[in-house]
Structures are given as structure tokens and as C-alpha cells.
Amino acid sequence: MVSPIKVQSKDLSVRYGSVEALKSISLDVYANEILSIIGPANSGKSTFLRCLNRFNDNQPNFSFKGLLTIDGQNIYADGNVEMLRKRVGMVFALPIVLPMTVFENVAYGLRRHGMKDKTQMESIVERSLKAAYLWDEVKDRLQEHAMKLSGGQQQRLCLARTLAVDPEIILYDEPCSGLDPISTAKIEEAMLRFKQNYTQILVTNNTKQAARVGDRTAFFLMGQLIEIGETKKLFTSPVDRRTDDYISGRFG
């Protein structure tokens, strides 16, 4: 049974002034799948990701054409960007830890959205930290400053903060680029478990990571979508030679 389409891009083109970052991107992302996006630097991967929660809106000279929908609704027709970002969480390459305690980092979004019930908040913080494979490491450190955590712990803390507001979609922009193998494995394990509840899109320069976690993989090159398909098939018998060249390390 084919999953319903959660995210759909139709002829999406993006410019930053005279620079065309995306060129007529059309692809579907299915509910509860992990879509890996690979490609060399400046291929438009992160630009596409940031369109999905409108992080590009404040970029100088940003403009776009085409259609981008979530559950069939045009996300650029709705002016409620804050609500969109509640539905579409994002984990960045470098952990963006807030200058506050571990607990308050996770509770930040809950407070922002008006939650005042302390017991409910504590329950959600604990649940989110457990889901991010961090609870056992920080349960006795919740009132410590979050900057005291290691880099890998900080990234999982950011993941927990994203989970706390109960998004529908999680975007990852190179989430493991600066992490050690153990922290990387924990994040990948969490991603695989999240498939029950979330749709996930992973931008990564690590083709092995894309192959490990992606149900399907898309290959971007110079702002174009070259091909998209089941991960195993794309990595073993890609349709386009450029995809094969990138995966095999002949360029990029």
C-alpha cells in the first residue's frame, strides 16, 4: 500500500537575486518515510529544505516560483509562519543551543506556544529527551546550563526541543556533520524509530548515511533534481550516469 503524499513540490524554482538556486524541482515526499537528499555543495539541497519551513523568507533577494504543499495546502499562501514551523521542525548542522538550562531548552517551544502546566511540561520534556536518546545522560543535569553538554549531546538536545512541540515533519540539514560515530549512530537510530510518527527529510553529504536511513533518495546537482527513487535501487543501479559518478566518488 502506497503511503499518502505529505509534501509535494511542483516546478519549484528559487532565486537569490540573479543566482538560481533551484530549477523546477518536482517531487513528492510520502507520509512516514525518510527521504535522503544527496548531492555536491551548492546543489540546492539546503535551499529546498529551508523552503519547507520558510526559513528562506528573510534571505536577501529571495524569490520563488512554483508550488509547495503540505497535506495539499500551499504553505506560501498561509501567512501563519509560526504555526508552519510548529508543524515542520528543523535540526541544523551545528547545534543551536539556547543560553539556558537543559530543561528550558526543551521546554522553550512549549512555553512559546502558551503551555503553563508544569506537570505536563515536565512529562513532555522527559518524553522528548528519551526519544532523542539523551534522557539517561542528562536526567540528573536538567538544571545545568546546556552549553556544558558535549557536541553530540547538544545536537540530541536540539532534536528533543524539536520533538517537544509535536511536529508532523522533521527536516535535518547535515545533522551529524560534526559528530563522532557514536553520536551519529544514536541520531540515526532515533530517525529510524521516528518513522512511526513523523515524515523526515535528511540532507546529507554522507552517502553512506543516506543509504543507511533513507527509504528513498533524491540526487540534486546544480539546482536540479537529477533522479529520485528507492534508496537501494538508486545506489546500486542509478538511472543517470551523473548519479553513479557522484555515489562512486568520481566527482563532488
Side-chain angles (χ1 to χ4, degrees), residues 22 25 27 37-40 43-45 48 218-221 224-225:
L22 292 176
I25 302 294
L27 61 82
I37 302 179
I38 60 173
S43 59
K45 307 185 301 295
F48 177 76
F219 174 54
F220 279 36
L221 180 64
Q224 294 181 298
L225 172 62

Side-chain angles (χ1 to χ4, degrees), residues 80-236:
N80 194 339
V81 177
E82 183 149 342
M83 184 54 65
L84 172 67
R85 291 177 184 163
K86 183 179 184 298
R87 296 178 67 195
V88 185
M90 190 162 183
V91 179
F92 297 91
L94 295 176
I96 303 175
V97 175
L98 303 175
M100 50 186 69
T101 67
V102 170
F103 182 93
E104 289 299 333
N105 262 269
V106 184
Y108 176 81
L110 301 174
R111 294 192 191 280
R112 189 179 176 102
H113 291 287
M115 182 176 290
K116 293 183 170 61
D117 187 302
K118 183 179 179 182
T119 301
Q120 184 183 11
M121 188 177 296
E122 288 174 348
S123 176
I124 293 173
V125 168
E126 179 176 344
R127 185 180 70 221
S128 301
L129 287 167
K130 285 179 176 177
Y133 291 86
L134 188 57
W135 175 253
D136 288 343
E137 298 170 43
V138 301
K139 60 185 178 182
D140 298 321
R141 304 174 62 187
L142 296 178
Q143 299 309 315
E144 284 188 18
H145 199 288
M147 290 300 293
K148 293 183 178 180
L149 300 180
S150 70
Q153 289 172 330
Q154 288 182 24
Q155 189 66 303
R156 282 177 281 145
L157 181 66
C158 293
L159 179 55
R161 188 173 66 216
T162 297
L163 297 173
V165 296
D166 196 26
E168 300 167 31
I169 299 166
I170 304 176
L171 312 175
Y172 305 90
D173 193 0
E174 291 286 343
C176 304
S177 60
L179 302 186
D180 61 88
I182 293 174
S183 295
T184 296
K186 287 182 178 180
I187 287 183
E188 290 179 2
E189 186 176 350
M191 291 174 67
L192 292 170
R193 202 175 76 177
F194 293 165
K195 286 170 59 174
Q196 300 175 45
N197 301 309
Y198 308 103
T199 301
Q200 300 171 86
I201 304 175
L202 167 68
V203 161
T204 179
N205 286 325
N206 185 335
T207 54
K208 291 182 179 179
Q209 181 176 61
R212 284 193 299 266
V213 303
D215 296 296
R216 293 188 303 143
T217 296
F219 174 54
F220 279 36
L221 180 64
M222 297 178 67
Q224 294 181 298
L225 172 62
I226 304 303
E227 67 176 289
I228 182 172
E230 181 192 353
T231 294
K232 184 177 180 180
K233 184 176 180 181
L234 185 137
F235 273 84
T236 56

